Amino acid sequence: DVSVVAELVAPLAELAPSARPDPQARFRESGKVFTAATAQGATEAALLLVERQIGRKQAASVAATLGVPWTVGADKAVTIVR
């Protein structure tokens, strides 16, 4: 499962036929791999990793430092495949 912008769905299918593109997801987690279609999705994925590894308070602090909104438990708003 791969988060991609809509324009890359067809080229991805040619390059990696077994990949399952998801142009609707801001980011996707598939096993140990995160993919993000946009910079915002990449930031959200990174904040999710911070939250999981060192805590929600730290993720909120990083988000505040970056000046981006962050919702506690934001991973519930995205599709995560494990």
Side-chain angles (χ1 to χ4, degrees), residues 1-81:
D1 293 310
V2 184
S3 175
V4 296
V5 292
E7 298 82 31
L8 295 180
V9 170
L12 177 63
E14 290 180 26
L15 291 171
S18 65
R20 296 184 305 195
D22 183 351
Q24 303 300 315
R26 294 187 310 270
F27 70 89
R28 295 295 302 251
E29 178 184 2
S30 184
K32 293 182 179 184
V33 177
F34 281 78
T35 58
T38 65
Q40 178 184 357
T43 301
E44 291 174 4
L47 290 170
L48 175 59
L49 287 172
V50 171
E51 179 181 359
R52 288 184 183 171
Q53 295 299 311
I54 57 177
R56 291 178 177 172
K57 183 177 178 181
Q58 290 78 6
S61 176
V62 171
T65 300
L66 294 173
V68 297
W70 174 250
T71 303
V72 172
D75 62 322
K76 293 173 181 48
V78 299
T79 303
I80 298 176
V81 177

